Amino acid sequence: QVQVQESGPGLVKPSETLSLTCTVSSDSFTSGSFYWSWVRQPAGKGLEWIGRIYASGNTNYNPSLKSRVTMSVDTSKKRFSLKLNSVTAADTAVYYCARVVAAPVYFDNWGQGTLVTVSS
Amino acid sequence: QSALTQTASVSGSPGQSITFSCTGSNSDIGSYDLVSWYQQHPGKAPRLIIHEDSKRPSGVSDRFSASKSGNTASLTISGLQAEDEADYYCCSYSGGGGPLVLFGGGTKVTVL
């Protein structure tokens, strides 16, 4: 059973950097059949894809966030991370990490989500 | 690249069938057999219920079915039950030059 779990600060000040980590309990972490994504959801709104990272380190980001997003991976610890800089109140959301089955592109395992609030 | 367009809300009585849609474009739904659907109860993470347009993962009730025609995908819930009350999101791979993955805005299903 694959488990993914987000962790990180729940409160970030405006203009600072949001940093989250997702820890994965699965031997599939380094399999090329999967990649790892971040998705966010503002309160009462829909889902927004932030980006993806393969265990190899290859990344793709949502163009709307690309200038502010960095994803990284640590295969030795089965973790991947998200950094979003220059945050504003509009970045307040529940952030989910998820495993994605690569070729058919579907999200088969999700973390429980972590609320990040941007406020001074 | 705009999000996929979903019916905002649908309601039905227990036992009824409901269908709602997700409309994209030739760059996403219309070009790839890669539509997935997710169920989300309040305060919970999304849960995969359909992948690759119409395939159901193991453990998902066969009351959930999906189809696609052109740029529009549809999800049908048969024999509606109280536990089906939730938000439902469609998702598609996109080759349109924008985000690689697009989500719909969500459909709120209410069981009367």
Side-chain angles (χ1 to χ4, degrees):
Chain A
Q1 179 71 8
V2 178
Q3 290 190 330
V4 291
Q5 177 70 56
E6 307 88 352
S7 60
L11 181 63
V12 182
K13 290 182 168 56
S15 79
E16 296 190 345
T17 297
L18 178 159
S19 295
L20 295 174
T21 296
C22 184
T23 302
V24 179
S25 61
S26 170
D27 292 337
S28 67
F29 190 75
T30 54
S31 168
S33 297
F34 305 98
Y35 60 78
W36 308 91
S37 269
W38 291 97
V39 175
R40 70 180 184 178
Q41 184 174 36
K45 296 189 178 181
L47 302 168
E48 179 182 30
W49 180 75
I50 299 172
R52 70 175 184 187
I53 186 165
Y54 282 86
S56 63
N58 288 342
T59 57
N60 295 93
Y61 303 138
N62 188 324
S64 68
L65 298 169
K66 187 175 183 179
S67 64
R68 299 193 291 130
V69 170
T70 302
M71 293 183 185
S72 59
V73 64
D74 183 340
T75 55
S76 66
K77 296 182 177 179
K78 294 185 183 178
R79 293 183 194 168
F80 61 104
S81 299
L82 168 70
K83 291 189 185 297
L84 180 66
N85 60 37
S86 304
V87 297
T88 69
D91 295 309
T92 294
V94 174
Y95 286 74
Y96 294 100
C97 61
R99 187 180 80 166
V100 183
V101 181
V105 191
Y106 60 87
F107 299 72
D108 69 339
N109 282 274
W110 296 71
Q112 65 186 22
T114 187
L115 174 62
V116 179
T117 301
V118 179
S119 175
S120 55
Chain B
Q1 194 80 359
S2 301
L4 308 175
T5 301
Q6 290 189 243
T7 311
S9 62
V10 175
S11 61
S13 299
Q16 285 187 328
S17 292
I18 59 172
T19 299
F20 44 94
S21 66
C22 169
T23 301
S25 72
N26 290 332
S27 297
D28 38 74
I29 292 177
S31 289
Y32 307 96
D33 295 333
L34 297 177
V35 175
S36 51
W37 289 88
Y38 303 86
Q39 177 192 59
Q40 186 181 37
H41 288 108
K44 300 294 187 182
R47 171 197 173 213
L48 176 71
I49 56 173
I50 294 287
H51 62 89
E52 294 171 83
D53 287 359
S54 59
K55 297 179 180 179
R56 228 178 9 256
S58 61
V60 173
S61 172
D62 60 5
R63 298 185 298 103
F64 293 96
S65 62
S67 62
K68 189 178 76 174
S69 177
N71 296 338
T72 298
S74 299
L75 181 71
T76 296
I77 308 175
S78 305
L80 200 61
Q81 298 181 1
E83 67 208 48
D84 300 330
E85 184 161 299
D87 293 322
Y88 292 82
Y89 293 92
C90 61
C91 176
S92 177
Y93 175 82
S94 175
L100 291 179
V101 174
L102 294 175
F103 285 100
T107 295
K108 170 66 178 175
V109 169
T110 300
V111 180
L112 302 172

